[in-house]
Amino acid sequence: MIEPVWTALAAALASAGCQAVFGLPSDDPGLLDAADRHDLLRTVLVRDQRVAACAAAGHAAVSRSPAVLAVTSGPSVVNALTGLLEAASMAVPIVVVTTRIGSREIGRGGFQEVDQEAMAGPLLKWHTLVEGAEQVPWAVRRAVHLALNGRPGLTMLVVAAERREPDTDHPQDAGGRPRRLRSVPEPADLDHAAGLLRRAQAPVVLAGGGTRWGDAGRAVERLAEAVVAPIFTTGSGRGSVDETHPLTMGLAGLYATPPATELLEGCDLLLAVGTRLEETVRTGWEAFARVPIVHVDQDHAAFDTARTSDHRLLGDAELVCAELAARLRDRPPDPARARERGERIGALRGRLLTEAAGDVTGSPVRRALACLGDVLDDDAIIVQENGLHDMWSYHFPLLTVRRGMSVVTPGEQTMMGFGVAASVGAASCVPHRQVVVLAGDGAVSLSMNALATMGDLRLGVVIVVFDNQGFGWPRHLRRLDGAPAHLTRFRAPLPVAELARAFGGWSATPATEAETKEALRTACEVAKTGQPALVRIAVPDDDVPAGVDRVFSGPGH
Ligand SMILES: Cc1ncc(C[n+]2csc(CCOP(=O)(O)OP(=O)(O)O)c2C)c(N)n1
Ligand SMILES: [Mg+2]
């Protein structure tokens, strides 16, 4: 029998706007069973809680609605922690629902007793104990409200599903579906920022993950047009702006592609929107340390983290950008200077588009990305890892993200094994959209059971595996340090292609450019029929992404 508390939870989560519950069954019939019976909830059954957490993150990143992760006390919740660490770093809204052991067993060595609040605590914005069905509407509402608002993130409900007297004193849910609350700074603060942008000689706009909500990406574009400034994104901001827009220059920092780097180094004012200015953004950007920053974020904790900002605007990315753009349209920057700037940006973007891809014949990864660009749907979902070779995909315009596409990237943790698992969440919730994962063979080794789940759920995901028979990133660092690389080689390389087929999928190992094109085209067709399709690209060690080469191979290394 499903306890009333679980039925109440499923109903409350659905009415709070949650669409999917990720997990795998444990001992008691609980949330998964109740969600399975609920018409408005999709139950996504995986085989590993770590995959469930990444899948929930992938779902939340694409759907922009809070995902639900169902775990239980003990190894179940602990196994989810790595994925939750990444999800917290991505700032995606997830409500974790877990159980608690019986109260008489607490502290007495009870079965699967674990201090889950202490273990998950640093990753959570809030958690509470739920002791009965009557407490559920309030608890779910608050959990979803806090997951969605400010800097989005994780909340946890610990359900003690013991029969006890109903507590009639609990507030019932009367406020409707929780939504993101948006605000704007004081007019004087906006006026000051507009003045700084108007007077800057070489302003740069940087769009972070906070610009992926609402229509913030378009608002960023309009503001950049009014200022006449190039737009860069962070890894998690990618997808908010249309990279075919003439002011976009791809990613900043480690992932910046020359010659766009010249704009970053020549910048005299940085407008940072919805970003915590994480290390990958600051890496390989020398001018960053001294450039004045106007920082826009809806979370005051984002300010003065990696560096002190010069002017802080607390508010919603879309609304703040719209306010600033209106001010700049009313009183535009000096037209001669704006024209000059526009010409320089246009010329650099022209060089970026023609020079960056270069001759791709020596780089199987770049060649595969070039071929992939031809087969991506207008609303494709691209899911990224962060191994050595797949980092090429962070370099615009080797991959160009158009309006309508979505990108799911890991946050600052860059957990190996994130991508394939996250794609399960993306694909299971939007079955009509093309989902393409870019991953290394090491990452795919950690994703075996996610492949199995794709077979279970008939998820037509395209998986591009850059195979160097081992852990290329640590291998690269060892090579630079003159240390032996054998620790990073697999003695028994992963038979990725055979594995995909074993799990009911399709696979190919193309060698030439023509074969790569054909393999990716077929993979996309196969995926449409609900079959996972894996394309294995053999990669040599020296196919090192431009940013890594620039930053990690230069003087001092
Ligand atoms: C869980 C976890 N462990 C270790 C690392 C450190 N790490 C970063 S990339 C990498 C190797 C990834 O190998 P693969 O997916 O094959 O990509 P490659 O670097 O070979 O291109 C490792 C071990 C990590 N990011 N996450
Ligand atoms: Mg590898």
Side-chain angles (χ1 to χ4, degrees):
M1 186 202 132
I2 302 175
E3 298 276 347
V5 71
W6 296 116
T7 313
L9 263 162
L13 288 164
S15 75
C18 303
Q19 299 165 10
V21 182
F22 297 84
L24 60 95
S26 272
D27 297 7
D28 301 321
L31 181 57
L32 287 170
D33 301 83
D36 192 42
R37 293 189 185 182
H38 198 287
D39 288 346
L40 297 177
L41 288 175
R42 166 129 203 205
T43 312
V44 183
L45 295 175
V46 299
R47 302 192 189 182
D48 171 355
Q49 294 86 358
R50 190 172 48 96
V51 168
C54 294
H59 166 66
V62 173
S63 70
R64 302 274 126 201
S65 62
V68 183
L69 174 70
V71 288
T72 54
S73 176
S76 165
V77 61
V78 175
N79 198 28
L81 286 179
T82 327
L84 291 177
L85 172 71
E86 194 64 76
S89 149
M90 294 165 69
V92 287
I94 294 180
V95 179
V96 181
V97 180
T98 184
T99 57
R100 197 187 68 168
I101 65 165
S103 52
R104 274 175 304 152
E105 285 298 329
I106 290 174
R108 298 176 61 215
F111 180 65
Q112 296 191 330
E113 177 175 13
V114 64
D115 189 348
Q116 47 200 340
E117 290 90 342
M119 291 179 115
L123 308 177
L124 302 174
K125 293 177 75 176
W126 181 76
H127 61 82
T128 197
L129 183 65
V130 177
E131 293 184 284
E134 69 284 356
Q135 196 186 342
V136 163
W138 164 81
V140 166
R141 189 186 165 75
R142 185 152 172 78
V144 172
H145 161 67
L146 289 171
L148 272 177
N149 277 294
R151 181 176 199 263
L154 317 182
T155 56
M156 184 166 85
L157 302 176
V158 182
V159 179
E162 292 169 64
R163 268 176 233 280
R164 43 187 272 299
E165 287 303 304
D167 171 1
T168 50
D169 194 27
H170 250 284
Q172 293 303 298
D173 189 20
R177 177 178 291 193
R179 59 185 177 85
R180 271 169 69 80
L181 304 172
R182 313 201 299 164
S183 60
V184 286
E186 292 180 52
D189 284 337
L190 289 163
D191 291 343
H192 182 67
L196 293 173
L197 287 166
R198 192 177 295 118
R199 289 188 298 275
Q201 307 285 319
V204 163
V205 178
L206 177 68
T211 62
R212 298 202 304 182
W213 290 87
D215 218 0
R218 265 186 223 264
V220 166
E221 289 170 13
R222 287 193 200 112
L223 173 58
E225 287 159 14
V227 178
V228 190
I231 307 168
F232 287 81
T233 67
T234 69
S236 48
R238 203 175 191 189
S240 68
V241 292
D242 181 351
E243 290 178 342
T244 64
H245 188 287
L247 290 172
T248 55
M249 294 289 156
L251 278 68
L254 178 61
Y255 309 123
T257 317
T261 38
E262 290 177 29
L263 291 166
L264 292 171
E265 296 303 347
C267 156
D268 72 346
L269 180 73
L270 177 64
L271 177 73
V273 187
T275 164
R276 288 187 306 163
L277 298 166
E278 65 266 28
E279 192 174 347
T280 48
V281 175
R282 291 177 269 127
T283 300
W285 180 358
E286 279 183 26
F288 179 87
R290 44 181 195 274
V291 68
I293 299 177
V294 174
H295 201 164
V296 180
D297 209 286
Q298 64 202 340
D299 177 13
H300 56 83
F303 303 138
D304 305 334
T305 308
R307 228 211 65 185
T308 311
S309 295
D310 296 84
H311 187 61
R312 301 154 195 83
L313 295 173
L314 183 67
D316 175 75
E318 180 183 350
L319 300 181
V320 175
C321 288
E323 289 283 345
L324 292 174
R327 282 164 171 76
L328 276 135
R329 279 193 294 266
D330 283 351
R331 277 189 58 203
D334 175 59
R337 208 181 303 140
R339 195 174 329 108
E340 200 182 302
R341 216 155 50 207
E343 283 166 9
R344 174 160 161 72
I345 296 168
L348 272 167
R349 183 172 157 99
R351 279 179 54 202
L352 179 62
L353 295 181
T354 49
E355 289 171 24
D359 175 12
V360 298
T361 45
S363 165
V365 183
R366 275 186 292 159
R367 195 169 63 194
L369 291 173
C371 296
L372 184 65
D374 295 336
V375 294
L376 284 180
D377 287 350
D378 289 340
D379 64 349
I381 300 170
I382 299 155
V383 188
Q384 291 173 295
E385 272 280 338
N386 204 278
L388 177 66
H389 300 297
D390 57 76
M391 261 192 257
W392 269 122
S393 64
Y394 288 69
H395 281 289
F396 171 81
L398 302 176
L399 189 73
T400 300
V401 179
R402 305 189 297 268
R403 170 105 50 233
M405 292 182 175
S406 306
V407 186
V408 181
T409 49
E412 290 108 275
Q413 296 292 331
T414 62
M415 163 206 162
M416 181 170 59
F418 168 80
V420 180
S423 77
V424 167
S428 58
C429 298
V430 283
H432 54 284
R433 283 174 72 180
Q434 183 187 48
V435 180
V436 179
V437 190
L438 303 163
D441 56 318
V444 174
S445 304
L446 269 82
S447 314
M448 281 308 89
N449 61 65
L451 283 182
T453 293
M454 287 180 188
D456 280 346
L457 304 180
R458 296 194 50 75
L459 300 179
V461 174
V462 176
I463 308 165
V464 182
V465 184
F466 300 115
D467 188 354
N468 56 3
Q469 320 240 310
F471 297 133
W473 170 247
R475 187 185 300 167
H476 182 63
L477 295 180
R478 276 164 179 71
R479 201 172 37 236
L480 293 176
D481 285 346
H486 65 275
L487 298 178
T488 65
R489 289 195 198 286
F490 298 159
R491 281 223 193 108
L494 194 69
V496 277
E498 288 79 357
L499 277 165
R501 285 199 289 271
F503 290 129
W506 174 93
S507 68
T509 302
T512 63
E513 180 168 359
E515 285 174 11
T516 306
K517 250 187 205 150
E518 179 57 20
L520 287 168
R521 202 191 51 74
T522 311
C524 292
E525 287 307 312
V526 167
K528 284 201 179 105
T529 67
Q531 227 186 325
L534 187 148
V535 178
R536 174 180 169 269
I537 308 285
V539 188
D541 284 350
D542 59 6
D543 200 354
V544 176
V548 172
D549 204 35
R550 182 168 57 90
V551 172
F552 291 92
S553 313
H557 271 276

